[in-house]
Amino acid sequence: DTGVSQDPRHKITKRGQNVTFRCDPISEHNRLYWYRQTLGQGPEFLTYFQNEAQLEKSRLLSDRFSAERPKGSFSTLEIQRTEQGDSAMYLCASSLGGTFNTEAFFGQGTRLTVV
Amino acid sequence: AQKVTQAQTEISVVEKEDVTLDCVYETRDTTYYLFWYKQPPSGELVFLIRRNSFDEQNEISGRYSWNFQKSTSSFNFTITASQVVDSAVYFCALMAGNNRKLIWGLGTSLAVNP
């Protein structure tokens, strides 16, 4: 499989619980992005990594959200003390960095439902 | 400010009709990239095309074609002879200047009916 892989595909959790999602990018891609998408909306940027460095984080991201990419390969996104408003599709994408921006390839997403 | 507007929320056509999806963008940067993505009901965003700001050539790929007009800040997408499998939400997106994140439109939901 040469695409972006996300795990799990679906997650149902109770309010207040912590959840962690994993993303495995395309192997040669050094940029990795997390986006969030709610019904009827376009994706919303959360954060992005170049290799292992987290270079940008959306102001929309509260302190309950944290993302890591420890060895510049896979990434995890953790949400602590989940709230119902966190229910959304969480999308991971990867791309090749360099002089020219290249297209990002997306995984199938993790759908989070907070009950 | 950077912004992408897709004015058409929903479009419904009958199979074999041609359909054009509009995209208007705003940016003050002279270097930028425009993208179209398709999101079928399965949910995965599928990359369709990238166009940079210095290349105004229109592009055709099979039944898909794109019309980039810097003068009107538009990057419209036409599907010729639409098919039921084209039914999806289509997003236009912008990456501009030193920004590495995509700015997205709200998407256009296309329904192609048999």
Side-chain angles (χ1 to χ4, degrees):
Chain A
D1 186 11
T2 56
V4 178
S5 177
Q6 290 188 247
D7 183 70
R9 294 287 310 279
H10 302 274
K11 178 72 177 178
I12 300 174
T13 191
K14 291 184 178 179
R15 190 173 49 185
Q17 297 294 305
N18 298 343
V19 294
T20 300
F21 310 142
R22 177 179 170 123
C23 171
D24 287 273
I26 294 171
S27 58
E28 63 268 27
H29 285 183
N30 58 349
R31 287 185 183 162
L32 186 147
Y33 305 81
W34 285 98
Y35 288 84
R36 177 172 64 187
Q37 186 179 23
T38 53
L39 200 61
Q41 301 293 316
E44 176 182 52
F45 171 79
L46 295 179
T47 188
Y48 117 85
F49 292 84
Q50 174 120 350
N51 300 311
E52 66 276 9
Q54 188 175 17
L55 296 186
E56 188 172 350
K57 186 174 174 180
S58 169
R59 284 173 289 178
L60 298 171
L61 225 56
S62 74
D63 291 342
R64 297 184 297 107
F65 288 72
S66 62
E68 294 182 344
R69 195 182 181 197
K71 297 182 181 178
S73 56
F74 74 92
S75 174
T76 58
L77 176 69
E78 182 184 15
I79 309 174
Q80 296 182 324
R81 304 181 304 282
T82 52
E83 302 173 355
Q84 286 189 322
D86 297 331
S87 295
M89 175 78 88
Y90 289 84
L91 297 164
C92 177
S94 69
S95 71
L96 277 170
T99 304
F100 300 101
N101 294 306
T102 64
E103 56 273 17
F105 293 91
F106 284 80
Q108 291 183 302
T110 294
R111 183 168 294 284
L112 172 67
T113 303
V114 181
V115 297
Chain B
Q2 297 171 354
K3 186 179 177 181
V4 174
T5 301
Q6 295 180 255
Q8 304 147 308
T9 306
E10 294 180 0
I11 299 176
S12 181
V13 299
V14 177
E15 209 170 13
K16 298 184 183 177
E17 282 186 36
D18 299 347
V19 58
T20 295
L21 310 181
D22 297 333
C23 173
V24 174
Y25 62 92
E26 295 176 31
T27 179
R28 293 181 180 176
D29 292 287
T30 55
T31 301
Y32 53 89
Y33 296 82
L34 295 162
F35 303 81
W36 277 94
Y37 283 85
K38 174 182 180 180
Q39 190 171 42
S42 61
E44 184 174 354
L45 281 158
V46 178
F47 166 76
L48 296 178
I49 190 171
R50 177 196 69 182
R51 173 65 70 227
N52 74 55
S53 52
F54 300 109
D55 180 5
E56 282 194 77
Q57 275 194 334
N58 292 325
E59 182 159 336
I60 298 174
S61 176
R63 296 184 297 106
Y64 295 171
S65 62
W66 291 269
N67 183 1
F68 178 28
Q69 298 272 350
K70 285 179 78 169
S71 59
T72 56
S73 297
S74 65
F75 186 42
N76 296 338
F77 172 32
T78 297
I79 302 174
T80 302
S82 60
Q83 300 176 0
V84 172
V85 293
D86 296 327
S87 297
V89 180
Y90 290 86
F91 289 97
C92 180
L94 165 72
M95 184 183 288
N98 292 322
N99 251 337
R100 295 293 177 263
K101 63 191 178 195
L102 288 164
I103 307 299
W104 299 80
L106 292 179
T108 296
S109 177
L110 174 65
V112 181
N113 303 299

